[in-house]
Amino acid sequence: RQGIVAIDFGMDILFATDKGDLFGRSFYQKVREYAVKIDKLQRNLQRQNIKPRESRRYRRLQERVSSFVKNEVRRLLNKVVNLYRPEVIVIENLNGFLKEIINNFSKSVKRVLIRFGLGEIRRKLKEIQEEYSIRVIEVNHAYSSQACSNCGYVDKENRKDRDTFECKCCG
């Protein structure tokens, strides 16, 4: 076991760890692709006066994006656990994460991310706690990308750009 691993949610990459590893590089890109298909289909159905829930194609597309989100979240969290074997996972508050990310998507995809993404992250983290006896601690998402995982020092200068972090206190 390797102690603590901190997971940060990103705008382009689903998870980034305090160890510098990035997981889910194409996650949001794939979700956006589904969003475009769903929105296009929704507009076509609306022009034909058909409710989306009455369309088998629409329901299948929604099921596909839901399955993708569930499977990817579970796969990536499993990867984090297998790679680091942590005693504790520190994760930013999921509600705060969603509020930041959610507005980048259409209503139909927002629902999927809220219902399945958030729910699946919580379910998988609970499973990890029970199965591996790994403690999961949720922290306030404010300043989480500016806080050093080593010494806890918070400074906006710690983050040089979106992809580079260097603590001004401990280096």
Side-chain angles (χ1 to χ4, degrees):
R1 294 226 176 195
Q2 293 186 5
I4 298 172
V5 66
I7 298 174
D8 189 38
F9 293 101
M11 297 294 273
D12 295 322
I13 296 163
L14 186 58
F15 302 133
T17 69
D18 59 332
K19 315 293 187 225
D21 293 315
L22 306 174
F23 298 94
R25 292 175 192 258
S26 60
F27 178 80
Y28 292 118
Q29 178 185 337
K30 186 77 171 169
V31 171
R32 281 186 187 93
E33 289 171 14
Y34 278 117
V36 168
K37 289 178 185 177
I38 289 170
D39 290 344
K40 185 177 177 183
L41 179 58
Q42 234 174 354
R43 283 193 300 276
N44 288 337
L45 292 170
Q46 204 169 23
R47 274 189 237 120
Q48 298 171 35
N49 257 351
I50 300 171
K51 292 181 180 175
R53 286 284 162 209
E54 294 172 0
S55 166
R56 188 170 32 202
R57 185 169 172 224
Y58 178 85
R59 287 192 312 267
R60 258 186 288 150
L61 201 50
Q62 284 285 66
E63 286 171 16
R64 264 192 235 132
V65 71
S66 299
S67 291
F68 170 76
V69 169
K70 284 180 183 179
N71 292 334
E72 199 65 3
V73 162
R74 296 182 72 75
R75 183 181 73 79
L76 295 173
L77 286 173
N78 281 337
K79 203 170 185 179
V80 167
V81 168
N82 290 330
L83 181 64
Y84 300 117
R85 303 267 184 227
E87 293 174 16
V88 178
I89 294 176
V90 177
I91 197 159
E92 63 184 303
N93 181 283
L94 297 173
N95 293 330
F97 150 71
L98 264 181
K99 287 176 187 171
E100 288 180 24
I101 299 293
I102 206 88
N103 291 324
N104 296 327
F105 295 99
S106 64
K107 279 185 180 178
S108 55
V109 176
K110 283 180 188 181
R111 276 184 240 118
V112 170
L113 288 174
I114 290 170
R115 248 187 250 144
F116 298 104
L118 181 61
E120 199 55 43
I121 290 170
R122 284 198 168 115
R123 273 189 294 281
K124 184 60 184 172
L125 289 172
K126 186 175 182 182
E127 224 175 79
I128 287 170
Q129 283 181 301
E130 293 170 0
E131 190 174 329
Y132 299 102
S133 299
I134 296 172
R135 274 189 26 225
V136 176
I137 301 171
E138 252 186 64
V139 296
N140 187 343
H141 77 286
Y143 309 108
S144 63
S145 63
Q146 298 173 8
C148 178
S149 61
N150 188 44
C151 69
Y153 180 69
V154 177
D155 190 334
K156 66 180 176 183
E157 297 297 316
N158 283 347
R159 177 132 338 253
K160 294 179 179 185
D161 58 49
R162 194 186 72 192
D163 299 327
T164 310
F165 183 93
E166 185 179 320
C167 181
K168 296 296 176 192
C169 184
C170 72

